[in-house]
């Protein structure tokens, strides 16, 4: 969408929250995905001083729940009226960001005035997956993941696909290690600031991400290679760990926010979802970003902050290089290598990080920092990117 065709009705994010992210089997392992999300939704309404009955729609991404509608469960747990509809979105890793994009489109179209959107995932509580037998005499067959693309398309394991990418482009283990070390270093330094944005789902929940730690290149390289060869292989430090967590934002129309007195917000400029080669999913968001920036008349140099999902160090490194992203402006609060990957929530976490990084228009204007980009890849060859702008809506 070109700048002159931008929707007249703008969607703005006025509040953004998340839980801590903890590795599978860690401090959040006793909570289902909807139990993680519900306190986040409640806190968003409190932050914006809105009553539960002001919400028109709840949209949550989730990839592992195994059925049902965890968005509906989370909405009811959060105390929203039973009359408020809720929808769960599954585009795997893109789910949380896609939920926010769809929420923005509902606002822009006039279908809603207030939307809660984000994602939630519990690797720890995910159902055990089994295929039913084809005959009465057969036995159920366990499986780790569903197919993301049918024949004749390639449907590689994502870790194997990332290892092939590293080998094909010659991204050395040492370079991947350095990237992981930097991610942890940023996250560790930013933890006090990150903590201000976190919601504790219960009294025993942590107030910091559970995987972040000081790392050195030597420590990372000591970990055994899990996929790929000796020169460019991937290990546990250069692959985002399976994790639990939830994140969401409160989206209003700009007019509705102004009527409530206005204040700092993130304008949602536009979003793009694209499809690409299922056998090479890590590269798909590159095209999404190119389309988005071209449509909006924005150059990479105009971006003040970028949140790029680090499912794999190599995937993030290649994307950064292909798009010409400034490392100093990317994942300022650390990336997923330092916190983990709660699949359905990861895209929404990117937006929460941007909300915190960009701040208000006044503070951003002092340094010329206004535009933020979030981008993420997903299994099956999907990619989503969204462009945001820090602003202050004036009360009406």
């Amino acid at each position: 969408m070109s700048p002159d065709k931008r929707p007249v009705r703008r969607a703005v994010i006025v509040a953004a929250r998340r839980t801590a992210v903890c590795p599978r089997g860690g401090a959040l392992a006793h909570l289902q995905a909807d139990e993680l999300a519900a306190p986040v939704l409640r806190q968003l309404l409190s932050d914006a001083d809105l009553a539960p009955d002001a919400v028109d729609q709840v949209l949550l991404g989730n990839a592992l729940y195994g059925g049902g509608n965890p968005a509906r469960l989370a909405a009811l747990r959060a105390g929203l009226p039973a009359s408020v509809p809720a929808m769960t979105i599954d585009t795997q890793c893109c789910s949380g960001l896609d939920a926010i994009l769809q929420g923005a489109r509902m606002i822009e179209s006039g279908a809603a005035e207030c939307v809660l959107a984000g994602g939630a995932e519990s690797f720890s509580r995910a159902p055990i997956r089994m295929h039913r037998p084809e005959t009465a005499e057969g036995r159920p067959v366990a499986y780790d993941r569903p197919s993301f693309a049918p024949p004749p398309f390639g449907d590689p394991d994502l870790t194997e696909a990332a290892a092939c990418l590293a080998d094909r482009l010659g991204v050395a283990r040492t370079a991947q290690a350095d990237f992981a070390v930097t991610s942890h270093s940023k996250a560790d330094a930013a933890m006090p600031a990150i903590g201000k944005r976190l919601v504790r789902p219960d009294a025993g929940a942590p107030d910091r991400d559970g995987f972040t730690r000081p790392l050195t290149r030597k420590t990372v390289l000591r970990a055994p290679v899990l996929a790929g060869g000796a020169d460019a292989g991937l290990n546990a430090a250069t692959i985002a760990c399976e994790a639990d967590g939830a994140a969401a934002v409160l989206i209003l129309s700009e007019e509705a926010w102004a009527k409530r007195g206005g204040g700092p917000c993130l304008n949602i400029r536009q979003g793009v979802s694209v499809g690409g080669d299922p056998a090479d999913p890590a590269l798909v968001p590159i095209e999404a970003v190119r389309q988005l920036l071209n449509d909006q008349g924005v150059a990479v140099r105009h971006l003040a902050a970028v949140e790029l999902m680090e499912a794999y160090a190599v995937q993030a490194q290649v994307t950064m290089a292909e798009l010409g992203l400034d490392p100093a402006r990317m994942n300022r609060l650390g990336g997923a290598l330092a916190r983990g990957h709660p699949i359905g929530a990861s895209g929404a976490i990117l937006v929460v990080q941007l909300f915190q990084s960009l701040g208000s228009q006044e503070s951003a204007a002092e340094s010329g920092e206004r535009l933020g980009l979030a981008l993420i890849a997903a299994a099956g060859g999907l990619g989503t990117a969204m462009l945001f702008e820090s602003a202050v809506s004036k009360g009406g």
Side-chain angles (χ1 to χ4, degrees):
M1 182 175 294
S2 61
D4 60 333
K5 295 182 180 179
R6 195 174 153 189
V8 174
R9 183 181 168 92
R10 293 185 180 181
V12 297
I13 294 174
V14 303
R17 291 278 187 167
R18 69 175 177 93
T19 67
V21 176
C22 295
R24 183 178 70 173
L28 298 178
H30 60 294
L31 296 170
Q32 297 278 4
D34 57 285
E35 294 175 308
L36 292 169
V40 176
L41 302 184
R42 282 197 298 269
Q43 186 61 52
L44 290 172
L45 292 173
S46 176
D47 289 347
D49 193 24
L50 283 171
D53 60 5
V55 178
D56 296 312
Q57 179 77 50
V58 176
L59 299 168
L60 290 181
N62 181 270
L64 301 177
Y65 201 78
N69 185 1
R72 176 63 169 170
L73 292 173
L76 294 175
R77 284 188 189 277
L80 272 62
S83 58
V84 177
M87 181 188 301
T88 301
I89 295 173
D90 180 5
T91 48
Q92 293 295 299
C93 305
C94 290
S95 300
L97 192 58
D98 281 344
I100 293 173
L101 177 55
Q102 295 308 315
R105 288 171 174 168
M106 290 188 71
I107 298 290
E108 291 167 354
S109 70
E113 288 284 346
C114 176
V115 175
L116 289 167
E121 201 75 76
S122 173
F123 256 103
S124 299
R125 306 298 299 160
I128 297 172
R129 291 168 159 171
M130 302 191 81
H131 289 297
R132 293 179 182 273
E134 295 182 7
T135 66
E137 296 76 23
R139 303 174 72 96
V141 178
Y143 68 99
D144 183 52
R145 68 164 179 89
S147 296
F148 298 126
F153 296 97
D155 184 24
D157 178 83
L158 294 184
T159 297
E160 292 299 330
C164 289
L165 179 67
D167 184 65
R168 186 171 80 238
L169 299 182
V171 183
R173 287 182 64 217
T174 51
Q176 295 178 54
D178 290 341
F179 189 89
V181 168
T182 298
S183 184
H184 279 265
S185 177
K186 288 180 180 180
D188 191 49
M191 201 57 69
I194 292 171
K196 298 176 183 178
R197 191 66 42 194
L198 300 185
V199 176
R200 298 176 68 189
D202 62 22
D207 58 1
R208 61 171 283 138
D209 294 331
F211 193 65
T212 305
R213 65 203 61 200
L215 282 181
T216 65
R217 176 196 275 192
K218 184 177 180 180
T219 302
V220 174
L221 292 177
R222 201 159 46 223
V225 171
L226 300 178
D231 295 331
L234 283 56
N235 64 27
T238 58
I239 302 170
C241 72
E242 298 174 345
D244 308 328
V249 301
L250 178 58
I251 313 173
L252 298 176
S253 68
E254 190 175 40
E255 296 82 359
W257 185 231
K259 287 178 182 177
R260 297 192 60 83
C265 59
L266 278 186
N267 282 341
I268 299 176
R269 287 278 294 261
Q270 183 62 10
V272 171
S273 296
V274 303
D277 185 356
D280 210 359
L283 303 183
V284 177
I286 295 171
E287 178 58 27
V289 171
R290 287 172 175 159
Q291 286 187 28
L292 176 62
L293 297 187
N294 181 66
D295 287 349
Q296 287 290 305
V298 171
V300 169
R301 68 178 182 278
H302 298 146
L303 300 171
V306 176
E307 287 291 327
L308 190 164
M309 177 58 195
E310 299 171 356
Y312 302 91
V314 61
Q315 155 256 326
Q317 289 171 285
V318 172
T319 301
M320 185 172 66
E322 286 291 318
L323 291 172
L325 299 175
D326 183 352
R329 301 184 182 188
M330 195 183 83
N331 295 356
R332 289 176 167 179
L333 306 179
L337 290 175
R339 61 177 175 261
H341 188 7
I343 299 178
S346 289
I349 291 172
L350 302 180
V351 181
V352 175
Q353 304 284 81
L354 276 180
F355 189 89
Q356 184 161 10
S357 295
L358 288 176
S360 70
Q361 185 181 26
E362 282 91 345
S363 63
E366 294 176 3
S367 58
E369 297 184 349
R370 294 286 301 278
L371 296 177
L373 175 71
L375 64 152
I376 191 167
L382 299 174
T384 299
M386 290 187 71
L387 184 68
F388 305 85
E389 183 177 18
S390 62
V392 173
S393 177
K394 304 302 182 183

